[in-house]
Amino acid sequence: MLTPDKFRGFAILASGLGGGILLDQLGMTAGLFLGCMIASGIFRMLTRENIAYTNTYNQIGQVMIGLFIGNSFRLEVLESLKLALFPIFIQIIILLATGFVLGLILASRSVLDRSTSLLSSMPGGLPVMIGLANDLRHDAGIVAVIHFFRVTVIVFTMPLVLPLFSELEGVVVHETESLHE
């Protein structure tokens, strides 16, 4: 039987898909991802009642992201990164240290607890950080919204900034085979 909670569960899925398809068809960079987030976020803000299946959607999303990342581990990708191990290691250390410091600042300047602030400030993929917050029993909703704003700013600014750096270096960016399957 289709209860109101289940109906809202299907409705948020449909609104997210619709928003994603719309922005993708309009040619927006990362349109599927952003459109889905924006449309389902608007739906959620307009709906105060329970929505069924949201935990299932979260789990399916984590599985899909995990499959995509796992599929990216190809020998040719790892071979090309071999020469960059030291800069990558330095990058990771700087990003973690910066995220940690920003998390502590967020905790001291807001009503958020320290753990939620740290999870909200650490670099990482949005779905992964939300899943981590959820698994550690912190406020995954707050982590999601803060990371949403970070990802949105990145998605809107990188298409404008990257061509400037590519032209300066004369670098041709190569896409991996896994992105085109």
Side-chain angles (χ1 to χ4, degrees):
M1 179 174 170
L2 189 62
T3 64
D5 289 359
K6 290 179 181 178
F7 176 78
R8 287 187 292 274
F10 289 121
I12 197 169
L13 177 63
S15 69
L17 286 172
I21 291 168
L22 174 66
L23 291 188
D24 186 59
Q25 291 297 308
L26 292 174
M28 178 179 235
T29 303
L32 276 173
F33 188 71
L34 278 180
C36 187
M37 283 195 309
I38 292 168
S40 62
I42 291 170
F43 183 93
R44 186 62 186 126
M45 285 190 293
L46 297 174
T47 306
R48 298 199 181 270
E49 296 86 8
N50 288 333
I51 298 177
Y53 309 123
T54 54
N55 192 44
T56 302
Y57 297 152
N58 179 11
Q59 292 171 339
I60 291 170
Q62 288 184 50
V63 167
M64 299 308 289
I65 295 293
L67 287 171
F68 178 78
I69 293 169
N71 186 45
S72 299
F73 278 87
R74 296 187 172 160
L75 286 177
E76 59 269 16
V77 172
L78 296 176
E79 279 293 319
S80 66
L81 292 178
K82 189 168 48 176
L83 297 174
L85 284 179
F86 184 70
I88 290 170
F89 177 74
I90 298 300
Q91 176 191 30
I92 291 169
I93 297 298
I94 291 171
L95 286 171
L96 287 175
T98 303
F100 188 79
V101 169
L102 292 173
L104 293 177
I105 292 170
L106 179 61
S108 70
R109 306 271 182 195
S110 71
V111 297
L112 300 179
D113 65 271
R114 186 175 295 149
S115 296
T116 301
S117 296
L118 288 170
L119 288 169
S120 298
S121 301
M122 285 291 161
L126 190 139
V128 175
M129 297 311 290
I130 296 166
L132 185 59
N134 197 38
D135 289 349
L136 295 174
R137 307 269 189 255
H138 293 290
D139 195 332
I142 289 175
V143 173
V145 170
I146 291 172
H147 278 282
F148 164 78
F149 287 119
R150 177 184 58 84
V151 168
T152 302
V153 168
I154 291 169
V155 168
F156 282 120
T157 58
M158 286 296 102
L160 301 172
V161 173
L162 286 179
L164 300 174
F165 288 99
S166 295
E167 288 175 17
L168 290 175
E169 297 176 1
V171 173
V172 177
V173 178
H174 298 281
E175 298 180 40
T176 62
E177 179 185 324
S178 65
L179 296 176
H180 297 288
E181 292 178 5

